[in-house]
Structures are given as structure tokens and as C-alpha cells.
Amino acid sequence: YLSDLWKAGRKEAKGDFAGAVADYDQAIAKKSEFYENAVLLRSIALRRLNRGESTAELKKEIVGWKNEDWRKFIGLFLGGTLAENDFLREAAADDKYWPAFGPYEDWKNGFYRYSGSRVSEQKYEAFYFIGMVRLLAGDKTGAKEFLEKCMAKEFRYGGSTTLKGDFVQAELDRLAVSPAPAAIP
């Protein structure tokens, strides 16, 4: 299942958003433990394709997700139900939804963790999703600001099973050379 997410991420990094959606659909069909991640990332890819119905689909999808699950907060934010400031406040609640990075530098479970300050994975993901929402709203400056936070020293190569530093870097590279995509109503 993770291979579908990685394939989708690689395609999205290359700008193949339709191919990414197809891979996310395969991952979603398998209903594994990372199902919610695929739903969230698919929503962003659909918006990149100017498929505005992705927000309505996402809102229906997250209804049954556990209220205490961090991914539900991401879904609420992407669906427009949770304001950016509230989303950032939830992201700052270290260890509330899953363990934060420890103060060591090592490969563990596929994550590179920086030896330094304790920074939670949910902050990394919040910065990514805020950056993408801002980008899709036409705010290139705001998008760049939040995506650059994902590349900060304490995150190094990212902190998520679905969002690696090279994926975020591809978004920053696109921002540097292209205009913002059309805003989705």
C-alpha cells in the first residue's frame, strides 16, 4: 500500500497530477492503515487538476474518521471547516495525536530525524497542507513561506510517510518558475 503512496508522490513531484490521483485511488481502494493519508493527498491532487468537487468528496469522507485523529484535523482544514489558526494550534499540541520527533539523528521507520529541537510531525504536515491550500488559492508568497518551513533544518528530509523533503522541494521549485494555479472556488 505504501508503494502506491510513494508512486503517487513521485508522480505529483513531477507534475503528473492525474497519474498521482490514479495511484491515490489504488491506495484508497486497499483501505489500509494509511487510507486517510491517501484521501487527503488525493484531495490536493484533484484541486491541482481544478476539480473543485474534491472538497465536497473530502467532507463526506472524513465524517466517519475518529475525532481525536490528527488526520481528521487535516481533513477539516482542507475541507474549509477548520480555520488556519485553529489548525496550527492543533498542530502545536505535541504528542497529542502521535509522537513528536526525538532529539537524535537516525533512520528509523523510514524517517530521518534531526538531532536538535523537538518538532512534531504534525507541524510538518500542517505547514505542508497550509502551503498547498495557499498555493491553490493563488497566494504564492504564503505558500512559499509555509513550504519552506517544511524544509527547515529541524525537519531535514521531512517527517511523514507520505510527504518527503524531495516532494516539498518539487513544489518550491515549481513556485520559483511558474505562476500560481487558478484558484478553486
Side-chain angles (χ1 to χ4, degrees):
Y1 172 81
L2 269 176
S3 65
D4 293 322
L5 286 178
W6 286 116
K7 283 190 323 187
R10 283 193 300 272
K11 287 179 182 175
E12 209 164 335
K14 292 178 182 174
D16 179 7
F17 305 117
V21 168
D23 287 337
Y24 290 135
D25 286 341
Q26 287 179 1
I28 290 167
K30 294 177 183 176
K31 293 265 187 182
S32 82
E33 66 181 291
F34 296 105
Y35 164 81
E36 291 94 348
N37 295 25
V39 169
L40 297 168
L41 292 168
R42 179 181 180 269
S43 173
I44 293 290
L46 286 171
R47 291 179 193 190
R48 298 295 295 260
L49 295 169
N50 291 318
R51 291 210 16 221
E53 75 273 10
S54 67
T55 301
E57 291 174 18
L58 179 62
K59 285 180 179 181
K60 287 180 199 172
E61 194 68 45
I62 65 172
V63 168
W65 294 3
K66 295 176 185 173
N67 286 331
E68 67 276 3
D69 191 331
W70 167 243
R71 290 169 295 214
K72 184 158 187 175
F73 285 98
I74 297 171
L76 291 170
F77 172 70
L78 293 177
T81 307
L82 185 65
E84 185 178 294
N85 286 340
D86 296 330
F87 185 47
L88 285 169
R89 189 174 14 267
E90 289 298 330
D94 284 345
D95 296 328
K96 186 173 180 182
Y97 304 106
W98 49 14
F101 292 143
Y104 59 90
E105 196 167 321
D106 192 11
W107 277 100
K108 182 178 180 184
N109 299 325
F111 306 133
Y112 186 84
R113 299 176 181 204
Y114 178 70
S115 178
S117 66
R118 186 176 161 98
V119 179
S120 71
E121 182 172 348
Q122 58 206 38
K123 287 179 188 171
Y124 173 84
E125 289 191 333
F127 295 156
Y128 170 77
F129 285 110
I130 290 169
M132 292 308 298
V133 165
R134 286 182 174 215
L135 175 66
L136 294 168
D139 178 7
K140 282 179 66 171
T141 303
K144 184 178 181 212
E145 173 190 343
F146 278 93
L147 292 172
E148 284 177 342
K149 288 181 181 188
C150 292
M151 300 302 285
K153 183 178 174 185
E154 63 266 23
F155 292 119
R156 290 288 281 273
Y157 296 105
S160 171
T161 55
T162 54
L163 304 171
K164 298 289 274 183
D166 54 350
F167 186 62
V168 174
Q169 187 61 56
E171 293 297 341
L172 288 168
D173 292 346
R174 274 194 286 273
L175 273 169
V177 297
S178 66
I184 304 289

